[in-house]
Amino acid sequence: MRTRHREPQTLGEGTLDRMARILAARNIDPGAAPAQEPETVSPLEALSAGMPPRYRAAVADHPQVLAWVRAVAEAAVAPNQGARRQVTTGPSLLMAGVVGAGKTHQAYGAVRRLVQSGVGVRWRATTAADLYADLRPRPGADSERELAAVSRCPLLIIDDLGAAKASEWVEEVTYRLINRRYNYELPTLITTNLAIRDLRAHLGDRVASRLAQMTTRVEFEQVDRRRHRLAA
């Protein structure tokens, strides 16, 4: 079977005139330069845009937090050849200490460190109180879908765990969230003002047991840094 080679066709004057009339009707200058593509946003800029203003410059400097960052970065994998490695699984941290000890600052700083290391991070941050508010059944809201989204997020910050009022519903929701992240080894940064024994009493044995197995506990100094700065 022979194929015919067709020479490139040129546009006739009539066609060019019609195109010119169409462009003029649409107020398009045929000689204008094409629109410039918007500048790409760096991963660090995108991260900062999604952070609360107070923590956009947060720096992680605690040795155990830095060790966690290295472990999670090393566990990151590329979805396909040539793609940037993404955070998928890894260890978790339970950061305990008094109010104002810098736990939340370290958590956000750890996410910044991860991005700076060159890996991709899909993450989410919430306080325990906000989490329970979002998950409470109410008209027009799919609380089960929301719980699934939080549970599956590759990297999750849960701030102030144990601060919400204890109840059977709080214990059950917390267990479902922590249990899924435990089973799938999803890295989780948790801050709390409670001792582990108080967490057990507040959230139940099942949650406390999962946390003990899935997290490295980091104790922060017994100094309220916020009050210290005000007194300085």
Side-chain angles (χ1 to χ4, degrees):
M1 177 178 178
R2 298 181 61 186
T3 58
R4 297 179 60 187
H5 176 69
R6 303 186 66 177
E7 295 294 333
Q9 301 295 307
T10 58
L11 296 176
E13 291 186 3
T15 301
L16 293 174
D17 288 341
R18 286 195 298 273
M19 290 179 63
R21 288 196 296 271
I22 293 172
L23 293 174
R26 299 181 180 180
N27 294 320
I28 300 175
D29 182 0
Q36 296 293 322
E37 293 186 1
E39 295 184 4
T40 57
V41 178
S42 72
L44 196 57
E45 289 173 330
L47 173 70
S48 295
M51 280 188 170
R54 183 174 298 279
Y55 299 110
R56 285 176 184 168
V59 175
D61 55 10
H62 192 288
Q64 287 177 278
V65 175
L66 295 178
W68 175 87
V69 170
R70 289 191 294 271
V72 173
E74 290 171 0
V77 296
N80 49 64
Q81 188 174 7
R84 184 167 61 148
R85 293 185 303 119
Q86 302 287 323
V87 171
T88 53
T89 62
S92 297
L93 285 182
L94 176 61
M95 294 179 277
V98 297
V99 174
K103 304 181 297 296
T104 306
H105 183 94
Q106 291 288 327
Y108 279 103
V111 179
R112 281 177 54 83
R113 279 270 187 170
L114 274 175
V115 173
Q116 289 171 332
S117 73
V119 299
V121 184
R122 287 199 301 114
W123 67 289
R124 181 167 177 170
T126 182
T127 65
D130 286 337
L131 174 66
Y132 300 136
D134 291 339
L135 296 179
R136 287 195 182 279
R138 60 193 186 279
D142 190 341
S143 56
E144 285 295 319
R145 183 175 182 177
E146 177 66 12
L147 177 58
V150 178
S151 301
R152 295 168 182 167
C153 184
L155 173 58
L156 178 65
I157 296 175
I158 306 175
D159 205 14
D160 284 336
L161 184 65
K165 185 177 180 180
S167 69
E168 290 185 5
W169 180 85
V170 165
E171 180 179 337
E172 184 63 27
V173 167
T174 307
Y175 170 74
R176 292 179 62 192
L177 170 63
I178 296 299
N179 186 60
R180 179 175 181 87
R181 301 192 68 80
Y182 167 81
N183 287 337
Y184 287 87
E185 299 181 343
L186 298 174
T188 311
L189 291 168
I190 302 169
T191 76
T192 183
N193 303 328
L194 301 179
I196 193 67
R197 62 180 181 277
D198 297 325
L199 273 178
R200 184 178 297 276
H202 192 84
L203 298 173
D205 289 338
R206 295 182 302 167
V207 174
S209 176
R210 296 297 190 279
L211 291 177
Q213 294 180 62
M214 68 185 275
T215 67
T216 297
R217 186 175 175 84
V218 184
E219 296 283 353
F220 281 74
E221 60 184 0
Q222 298 297 306
V223 176
D224 188 331
R225 293 186 178 183
R226 299 187 188 115
R227 292 184 181 179
H228 181 71
R229 284 196 298 268
L230 290 174

